């Protein structure tokens, strides 16, 4: 009798839990995640709309005779275009990209296109990953994106090195959208780890802009490389949206990593066999993001996040229709880092590179309009303002590193740099031991090979064991 009476109570609890989830999902907007962030300035946000146009130019077959250029054009001088690689050139190992020498802004730009829904090779890159599959520099990264970055560097290393040495005052910028944003972020990580392979380029000259970024690296790496990588989010575009197959496949791979369904021979077969339960799987994923405490998620070292410093373009407000003048907020968050799926009818437009370029340019124009008085300010005061901004970013970066340690984020530490460190004695010792071991590893291999591929260099990177010490990977230890 007591069991029968208890059934309605259990049903009520279940219904209340479902109602709470639905309430949170429907009322949560992306603007909630950045409500406490500071406003971005025109100086730091200036490259974003320009790089969006460079990424759009990758889609053109002939940049001299463009077919889909945005209002105002791409801003590209065809004579400064160094190279363009299509899917035929990359053989599906990486998305299409261009290399552009931007003399006007003293920048060497490698721009990578987003996911191509018609290319099975792009799905193979996305699906080539499992939780905890690939370790990198004391954290975890997306395996397929890292391999794609290794291929790009193998193909363009000599050209990049020549350009970096020929233009010592130029920055080296990796930019990408959607799938390309993950490849660009991996490129930045690998180049920072092997600066000597590109003419000993200084870390301060390396930049990355991930537009509508993919979750591609663990939290400790996302925070540690925030001085190099910048992610740009339009409202709710911080991952591939549910309306696009790219997100569905990434999320399916993430959900199915614990063998919800048996794996098959090819990615497409696996995808189509999984579509029958797609709504249930996405519902499970949403409930998982809603119900699991953030403290628990932060302590999962395998969980992947959007990389680096975040720039959030907010143009919509809850319970209010239409779009409003965009506002750009920025921070290096540790907790509250866009971790909940946002149910939005604008998910597709928020993710589209065309709309991101348009809204980022609108935001930039509004910033310049507010700062039009800057035209009358002497150059010395402008320089002082830029120095102040740089100092604030350094302090924010250091604070994020400290917060990652205080929240017990796995493997969170700060290598010694110009930004300063905390617990410096341990970090310096740890960093130096890693660097010496890496140099000895590469040096020993150099005796047997005249040229080492970037993928081989990636494999030689050291991991951090459970006690926090830097060690060779197991496979590499076996070779010794």
């Amino acid at each position: 009798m007591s069991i029968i009476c208890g059934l309605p109570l259990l049903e009520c609890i279940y219904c209340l839990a479902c109602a709470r989830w639905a309430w949170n999902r429907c009322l949560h907007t992306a603007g909630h995640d950045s409500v406490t962030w500071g406003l971005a300035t025109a100086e730091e946000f200036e490259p974003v709309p320009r790089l969006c146009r460079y990424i759009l130019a990758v889609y053109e077959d002939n940049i001299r005779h463009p077919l889909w250029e945005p209002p105002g054009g791409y801003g590209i001088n065809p004579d400064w275009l160094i190279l363009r690689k299509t899917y035929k050139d990359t053989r599906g190992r990486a998305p299409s990209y261009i290399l552009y020498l931007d003399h006007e802004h003293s920048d060497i730009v490698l721009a990578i296109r987003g996911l191509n829904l018609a290319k099975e090779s792009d799905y193979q890159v996305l699906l080539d990953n499992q939780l905890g599959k690939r370790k990198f520099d004391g954290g975890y990264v997306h395996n397929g994106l890292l391999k794609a970055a290794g291929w790009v560097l193998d193909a363009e290393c000599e050209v990049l090195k020549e350009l970096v040495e020929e233009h010592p005052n130029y920055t080296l910028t990796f930019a990408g959208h959607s799938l390309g944003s993950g490849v660009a972020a991996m490129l930045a990580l690998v180049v920072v780890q092997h600066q000597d392979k590109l003419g000993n380029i200084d870390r301060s000259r390396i930049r990355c802009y991930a537009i509508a970024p993919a979750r591609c690296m663990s939290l400790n790496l996302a925070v540690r490389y925030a001085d190099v990588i910048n992610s740009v989010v339009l409202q709710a575009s911080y991952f591939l949206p549910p309306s696009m197959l790219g997100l569905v496949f990434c999320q399916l791979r993430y959900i199915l990593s614990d063998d919800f369904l048996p794996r098959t021979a090819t990615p497409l077969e696996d995808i189509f066999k999984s579509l029958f339960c797609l709504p249930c799987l996405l519902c499970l994923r949403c409930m998982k993001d809603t119900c699991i405490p953030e403290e628990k998620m932060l302590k999962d070292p395998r969980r992947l996040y959007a990389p680096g410093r975040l720039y959030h373009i907010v143009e919509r407000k809850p319970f209010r229709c239409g779009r409003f003048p965009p506002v750009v907020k920025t921070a290096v968050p540790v907790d509250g880092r866009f971790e909940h799926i946002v149910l939005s009818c604008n998910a597709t437009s928020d993710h589209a590179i065309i709309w991101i370029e348009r809204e980022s340019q609108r935001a930039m124009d509004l910033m310049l309009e507010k700062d039009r008085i800057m035209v009358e300010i002497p150059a010395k005061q402008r320089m002082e303002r830029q120095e102040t901004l740089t100092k604030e970013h350094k302090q924010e970066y250091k604070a994020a590193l400290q917060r990652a340690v205080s929240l017990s984020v796995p493997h969170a530490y700060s290598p010694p740099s110009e930004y300063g460190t905390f617990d410096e004695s341990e970090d310096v010792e740890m960093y130096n031991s890693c660097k010496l071991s890496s140099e000895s590893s590469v040096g020993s291999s150099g005796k047997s090979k005249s040229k080492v591929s970037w993928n081989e260099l990636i494999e030689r990177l050291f991991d951090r064991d459970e006690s926090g010490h830097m060690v060779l990977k197991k496979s590499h230890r076996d070779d010794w």
Side-chain angles (χ1 to χ4, degrees):
M1 185 68 180
S2 59
I3 297 177
I4 296 177
C5 293
L7 287 178
L9 179 61
L10 293 176
E11 291 176 355
C12 290
I13 294 175
Y14 177 76
C15 291
L16 287 173
C18 292
R20 175 184 177 274
W21 171 80
W23 180 264
N24 288 338
R25 291 300 87 222
C26 293
L27 291 187
H28 183 87
T29 65
H32 292 157
D33 294 307
S34 61
V35 67
T36 60
W37 297 6
L39 294 175
T41 63
E43 289 85 351
E44 60 181 308
F45 194 71
E46 178 274 329
V48 174
R50 171 167 51 89
L51 292 173
C52 285
R53 289 189 285 272
Y54 293 172
I55 295 170
L56 280 170
V58 183
Y59 293 79
E60 294 283 0
D61 293 328
N62 188 343
I63 195 63
R64 294 184 182 274
H65 304 285
L67 299 177
W68 304 290
E69 61 179 343
Y74 294 113
I76 286 182
N77 184 337
D79 296 329
W80 296 348
L81 187 64
I82 305 299
L83 57 86
R84 177 179 179 271
K85 291 290 180 73
T86 64
Y87 281 97
K88 183 178 179 180
D89 299 318
T90 64
R91 301 188 300 276
R93 301 289 297 277
S96 301
Y97 60 88
I98 62 171
L99 182 59
Y100 180 62
L101 185 58
D102 189 353
H103 291 292
E104 184 178 353
H105 299 92
S106 302
D107 200 4
I108 304 166
V109 182
L110 197 155
I112 310 169
R113 65 158 290 161
L115 176 73
N116 188 333
L117 296 177
K119 292 292 183 180
E120 182 177 347
S121 59
D122 279 3
Y123 302 140
Q124 290 174 339
V125 171
L126 286 174
L127 294 172
D128 184 13
N129 190 59
Q130 289 180 344
L131 283 178
K133 180 176 182 179
R134 175 55 72 100
K135 284 189 174 183
F136 186 97
D137 191 24
Y140 291 90
V141 297
H142 189 287
N143 183 63
L145 296 175
L146 184 63
K147 288 166 63 176
W151 189 94
V152 173
L153 286 172
D154 266 339
E156 314 304 343
C157 177
E158 295 301 324
V159 179
L160 288 174
K161 181 179 179 181
E162 181 180 342
L163 291 174
V164 167
E165 293 178 341
E166 185 177 347
H167 304 281
N169 296 324
Y170 283 30
T171 53
L172 175 61
T173 301
F174 302 105
H177 167 250
S178 186
L179 172 67
S181 70
V183 179
M186 295 298 103
L187 284 168
L189 259 64
V190 176
V191 170
V192 168
Q193 286 290 325
H194 297 284
Q195 299 170 21
D196 58 311
K197 297 298 179 181
L198 292 182
N200 289 317
I201 182 172
D202 190 77
R203 181 182 178 120
S204 61
R205 292 176 59 194
I206 304 170
R207 302 187 304 175
C208 172
Y209 285 86
I211 313 298
R215 298 182 183 184
C216 58
M217 63 182 67
S218 56
L219 184 56
N220 63 325
L221 296 180
V223 175
R224 193 189 313 161
Y225 285 89
D227 61 322
V228 175
I229 304 175
N230 305 279
S231 290
V232 181
V233 176
L234 173 59
Q235 199 70 23
S237 67
Y238 42 88
F239 48 65
L240 307 176
S243 56
M244 297 184 64
L245 291 177
L247 167 72
V248 173
F249 302 150
C250 282
Q251 296 300 321
L252 276 175
R253 185 66 169 182
Y254 181 80
I255 297 169
L256 299 179
S257 60
D258 294 328
D259 295 327
F260 274 70
L261 292 176
R263 309 305 298 169
T264 53
T266 65
L268 284 184
E269 290 177 10
D270 187 32
I271 290 164
F272 291 125
K273 288 184 179 181
S274 302
L275 287 179
F276 75 94
C277 62
L278 177 59
C280 295
L281 292 172
L282 288 178
C283 181
L284 286 173
R285 172 64 171 165
C286 288
M287 293 185 70
K288 178 181 178 182
D289 279 351
T290 304
C291 300
I292 295 180
E294 189 169 9
E295 294 77 10
K296 186 174 181 180
M297 291 192 292
L298 289 175
K299 293 183 180 179
D300 183 358
R302 306 169 302 165
R303 188 177 180 87
L304 303 183
Y305 293 78
R309 169 178 287 275
L310 295 178
Y311 289 91
H312 191 199
I313 306 173
V314 183
E315 58 170 1
R316 290 190 301 274
K317 300 178 182 180
F319 304 111
R320 299 180 68 180
C321 299
R323 295 177 183 268
F324 296 84
V327 175
V328 182
K329 296 188 174 184
T330 183
V332 185
V334 180
D335 46 343
R337 196 180 178 88
F338 291 136
E339 276 313 292
H340 296 291
I341 291 179
V342 176
L343 302 179
S344 172
C345 59
N346 301 101
T348 302
S349 61
D350 287 345
H351 186 78
I353 182 64
I354 296 176
W355 198 264
I356 296 175
E357 185 275 332
R358 188 181 306 172
E359 293 304 308
S360 63
Q361 186 60 56
R362 282 184 62 203
M364 186 66 193
D365 292 341
L366 290 173
M367 291 181 193
L368 292 176
E369 184 178 348
K370 292 180 180 178
D371 291 349
R372 63 183 182 276
I373 193 173
M374 288 292 294
V375 178
E376 304 173 1
I377 295 180
K380 181 179 180 181
Q381 293 186 19
R382 291 189 202 176
M383 188 176 299
E384 291 176 352
R385 174 175 172 173
Q386 185 61 36
E387 291 175 354
T388 301
L389 176 64
T390 303
K391 184 178 179 180
E392 289 175 353
H393 277 198
K394 290 179 180 180
Q395 293 173 347
E396 191 174 13
Y397 173 71
K398 182 178 178 180
L401 292 171
Q402 292 173 334
R403 181 155 181 76
V405 173
S406 66
L407 291 174
S408 301
V409 173
H411 313 313
Y413 80 103
S414 60
S417 69
E418 61 178 343
Y419 294 93
T421 61
F422 50 92
D423 198 8
E424 189 168 347
S425 60
E426 283 187 21
D427 289 336
V428 170
E429 182 180 354
M430 195 180 309
Y431 179 77
N432 288 337
S433 64
C434 174
K435 183 176 179 181
L436 290 173
S437 301
S438 299
E439 290 174 351
S440 63
S441 172
V442 175
S444 62
S445 63
K447 298 177 182 178
S448 58
K449 291 187 178 182
S450 58
K451 184 177 180 180
V452 180
S453 73
W454 281 90
N455 276 321
E456 290 174 320
L457 288 174
I458 291 170
E459 293 295 338
R460 291 199 184 100
L461 287 176
F462 286 67
D463 292 334
R464 188 181 299 277
D465 61 15
E466 296 298 326
S467 61
H469 299 291
M470 301 301 296
V471 296
L472 282 168
K473 289 187 175 181
K474 183 178 184 301
S475 59
H476 202 61
R477 291 199 302 267
D478 293 340
D479 294 339
W480 284 89

